[in-house]
Amino acid sequence: MKTFLSLIALLIIQISIAQKVVYFPGFELINMEPTNGLQYSASKLIKSYIENNHDYTVILDEGIGANGYLDREPLATSITKATEINARYFMTGEIHFLQGTYIISLGVYETTSKEQVWHDMAKGAAEQDLDPLLSRLGRSFFTNRTAKTDIEIDEVTKYDQQGVELAQIKVNHFVGVMLGGKVIPNESTLSGFGIVYTYDASTVLFNLDFELFPSSNLSINHSSPDRKLSSGNINLGVTYPISRKRTTLFINGGMEYGYTQIKDSIYDQDYHDTRSGIGAYFGGGLLINRNSTVNLRIFTTVSLPFYRVNETNVSGFKFGIVTSFARKR
């Protein structure tokens, strides 16, 4: 009985492993020099990118890289080899060169039914584009994502830059404008604007912001109809993108130096109190089109000044949208 159960367990394990095995005879090179080096390197890279991003094992043809350039393998041969190694899937791949454009095509088929179960393509304008394209295809493998749209900030190709202003981000400088508001409890919401300088260092973004919230409408919860409040800040902080996608959530925080002024009219006499000092802020938001020359940052933060004005704590919430423009280098 124990032997029988062991055999059943072994069979289940083998079936489970087979579900995640993909046979790949290697890339076929079309309309370009059929070099063994490019075929072998591209095939090994797509194997590595798929295995690094997904729970699949890609088994290459044993002859690739050893016997010179391999011609396209007949479909029946691929099915036979996939069956022999107990692979549930086999993959076909082509790299075309047409009118100065490299086009990579990948397709996955089920070994038993011979039906295509996944396909994706990517285009590049230079040979150095092949590595980022293979990286994208490795991530999109067997998912609903596509290599055309799933671009990380350091994978922008020359082809991506044709017709749209995208740039591969290593370190970029941006200058932008902010429109938003500031909510202080027991006061009206202040409208505001600002100038934002951003230094994108790939892993994090460093920000220097100048914000001004000139004046609220008539404040609430106060007997005087003439009471008004205004404030401004200089902020120095860090923004950390959650992922390296061109659109990603982020968290941020830093220090601020600012002022708050309260003006009022009491018994026909004008009164105002202005205080300034340091504080801190933290929050998060959404960064859109990070690898474009124009990007958007939607944010909300908590502002915590370490000073009081008119015996009032002026902590509050800031929100808004920043439109940034890349500086020409």
Side-chain angles (χ1 to χ4, degrees):
M1 186 64 178
K2 289 183 179 180
T3 303
F4 177 74
L5 292 176
S6 299
L7 290 174
I8 293 296
L10 182 61
L11 180 61
I12 292 174
I13 292 172
Q14 290 178 338
I15 292 174
S16 176
I17 293 174
Q19 301 291 312
K20 297 293 186 177
V21 175
V22 182
Y23 168 69
F24 184 39
F27 279 108
E28 178 186 10
L29 307 184
I30 299 176
N31 201 29
M32 67 176 74
E33 185 70 24
T35 61
N36 175 38
L38 178 59
Q39 183 186 49
Y40 178 69
S41 179
S43 301
K44 289 284 286 185
L45 274 175
I46 195 63
K47 167 183 167 68
S48 297
Y49 285 133
I50 290 174
E51 292 179 346
N52 287 342
N53 286 280
H54 308 283
D55 186 23
Y56 281 88
T57 299
V58 178
I59 299 179
L60 293 176
D61 187 304
E62 293 181 354
I64 193 167
N67 302 323
Y69 177 79
L70 297 181
D71 291 327
R72 182 184 183 94
E73 188 173 83
L75 191 62
T77 304
S78 295
I79 294 172
T80 299
K81 290 184 178 180
T83 303
E84 289 175 352
I85 61 173
N86 201 28
R88 180 176 180 180
Y89 305 102
F90 67 92
M91 185 165 63
T92 62
E94 300 169 347
I95 301 178
H96 302 254
F97 184 72
L98 181 63
Q99 296 181 341
T101 300
Y102 290 88
I103 305 168
I104 306 178
S105 175
L106 277 180
V108 176
Y109 297 79
E110 196 163 33
T111 304
T112 53
S113 66
K114 307 176 185 60
E115 293 183 357
Q116 187 179 79
V117 291
W118 177 83
H119 179 263
D120 199 4
M121 299 181 69
K123 296 182 180 180
E127 190 167 322
Q128 57 263 37
D129 290 345
L130 293 179
D131 177 49
L133 295 180
L134 290 169
S135 177
R136 292 192 216 168
L137 286 165
R139 286 198 310 276
S140 72
F141 179 82
F142 249 145
T143 71
N144 293 325
R145 300 193 300 267
T146 65
K148 181 179 180 180
T149 58
D150 184 26
I151 306 174
E152 294 192 352
I153 60 172
D154 50 1
E155 293 178 346
V156 177
T157 66
K158 289 187 177 181
Y159 184 84
D160 295 322
Q161 299 176 50
Q162 297 176 4
V164 291
E165 292 189 88
L166 297 179
Q168 181 172 341
I169 286 185
K170 292 182 179 176
V171 175
N172 275 344
H173 304 263
F174 294 84
V175 175
V177 293
M178 184 277 292
L179 293 176
K182 187 174 184 179
V183 180
I184 299 176
N186 299 322
E187 300 288 349
S188 295
T189 300
L190 286 70
S191 298
F193 60 91
I195 299 174
V196 179
Y197 171 77
T198 302
Y199 180 90
D200 192 327
S202 185
T203 303
V204 297
L205 291 76
F206 298 95
N207 306 303
L208 179 62
D209 310 338
F210 300 87
E211 301 173 337
L212 183 62
F213 302 90
S215 180
S216 68
N217 297 322
L218 296 181
S219 299
I220 61 175
N221 296 338
H222 294 283
S223 58
S224 171
D226 296 321
R227 179 182 171 88
K228 291 187 178 181
L229 183 148
S230 61
S231 72
N233 295 92
I234 299 175
N235 305 323
L236 180 63
V238 175
T239 296
Y240 177 73
I242 301 300
S243 76
R244 297 179 64 81
K245 308 291 185 183
R246 58 180 177 178
T247 297
T248 176
L249 296 173
F250 67 83
I251 55 176
N252 65 346
M255 301 298 294
E256 61 182 27
Y257 180 83
Y259 81 93
T260 301
Q261 182 181 73
I262 294 178
K263 291 184 177 181
D264 207 342
S265 179
I266 303 175
Y267 302 114
D268 296 326
Q269 292 184 351
D270 291 334
Y271 164 83
H272 69 86
D273 187 14
T274 303
R275 293 286 187 272
S276 61
I278 63 172
Y281 73 92
F282 63 91
L286 180 67
L287 178 57
I288 302 172
N289 275 356
R290 183 182 175 192
N291 59 336
S292 173
T293 54
V294 179
N295 62 57
L296 299 177
R297 190 157 73 242
I298 302 170
F299 70 91
T300 181
T301 59
V302 178
S303 176
L304 300 170
F306 301 149
Y307 61 89
R308 298 169 69 88
V309 56
N310 195 24
E311 303 302 323
T312 302
N313 187 289
V314 287
S315 299
F317 302 90
K318 293 187 288 187
F319 61 91
I321 183 169
V322 176
T323 304
S324 296
F325 303 87
R327 292 180 56 195
K328 294 183 179 180
R329 292 174 288 175

